[in-house]
Amino acid sequence: MTQPGLRERKKQRMYQEVSETAIRLFLERGFDAVSVAEVAAAAGISKPTLFRYFPAKEDLVLYRIADHEAEAARVAAEGPTPLAALRRHFLDGLEREDPVTGLNDHPAVLAFHTLLYGTPALVARVYAYQQRSEAALAEALGSGLEARLAAGQIVAVQRILAMENWRRISEGERVEDVRADAVAAAERAFGVLADALPHLA
């Protein structure tokens, strides 16, 4: 795989730095209390420049998870079967304490989740992100109604598993207290998917 050029690396660094600046301000003062102009000033760029990188204020936050949008589709294509690959990937994520699985109690991760799911404008944008993720997975599964139905079930299972893990940890449980239950729940959930979607198992 070729490495990105200097221009692309600078662009990606700009995305990351502006997003991190915005998230820091939003965590300190609340999403609605911080203006785009304030984010631009804190990042040392003009407001028009910020909008060239982030067309909407919500994109400043969603950038952090944007690279996961096509993840399910990519993983499903790795095989040996779509469900086997997705099950392995989710269990590996639990082992790594990947924030996407909800099994992470780092204070910065918990604060980000609270910002994301406690701000109505961001919740709406997350929903749109999940729809795009579902559409990409459906395409990877062959498109058509059957593929869309399967993708909807798979994405819903992953979301519910992650939200349950996050709920328990946000209520004060430690990762080590939740891990075994999280793994068992994932195994059961993917077992149910395999029974419901035998052509993908």
Side-chain angles (χ1 to χ4, degrees):
M1 188 195 302
T2 58
Q3 292 295 318
L6 177 61
R7 184 185 180 119
E8 183 60 26
R9 290 200 306 273
K10 287 176 71 174
K11 186 177 176 182
Q12 290 304 318
R13 192 159 54 246
M14 173 69 85
Y15 272 111
Q16 174 127 14
E17 289 172 358
V18 175
S19 175
E20 292 301 324
T21 298
I23 289 169
R24 177 177 52 78
L25 292 173
F26 297 151
L27 289 174
E28 287 172 1
R29 294 164 45 200
F31 181 80
D32 294 325
V34 178
S35 70
V36 171
E38 288 175 297
V39 174
I45 59 175
S46 69
K47 189 174 171 183
T49 297
L50 184 146
F51 277 124
R52 276 204 302 276
Y53 285 90
F54 299 95
K57 183 179 178 183
E58 293 81 7
D59 294 331
L60 289 159
V61 178
L62 270 293
Y63 175 75
R64 185 177 282 186
I65 63 171
D67 59 338
H68 289 284
E69 192 171 289
E71 187 171 73
R74 175 184 56 76
V75 170
E78 292 174 358
T81 66
L83 279 178
L86 289 163
R87 173 189 164 277
R88 182 187 65 234
H89 184 74
F90 194 88
L91 291 171
D92 287 349
L94 292 174
E95 180 65 28
R96 295 191 315 273
E97 298 176 15
D98 187 331
V100 171
T101 67
L103 192 68
N104 188 301
D105 58 5
H106 190 284
V109 171
L110 292 177
F112 179 76
H113 275 163
T114 300
L115 171 68
L116 195 59
Y117 295 109
T119 307
L122 293 175
V123 170
R125 190 56 68 95
V126 169
Y127 177 69
Y129 155 86
Q130 289 169 340
Q131 284 185 308
R132 290 192 299 273
S133 178
E134 189 178 301
L137 178 57
E139 190 68 29
L141 297 178
S143 72
L145 179 60
E146 189 172 335
R148 293 198 302 276
L149 290 170
Q153 293 174 70
I154 293 165
V155 169
V157 161
Q158 292 180 321
R159 177 181 57 80
I160 291 166
L161 290 170
M163 291 300 286
E164 175 62 12
N165 295 337
W166 178 68
R167 180 193 64 76
R168 289 181 60 180
I169 288 172
S170 68
E171 290 176 357
E173 295 188 60
R174 298 179 311 132
V175 163
E176 291 312 313
D177 297 331
V178 178
R179 186 188 304 279
D181 288 345
V183 170
E187 293 281 22
R188 284 200 311 277
F190 277 95
V192 170
L193 283 174
D195 290 341
L197 305 167
H199 62 293
L200 300 178

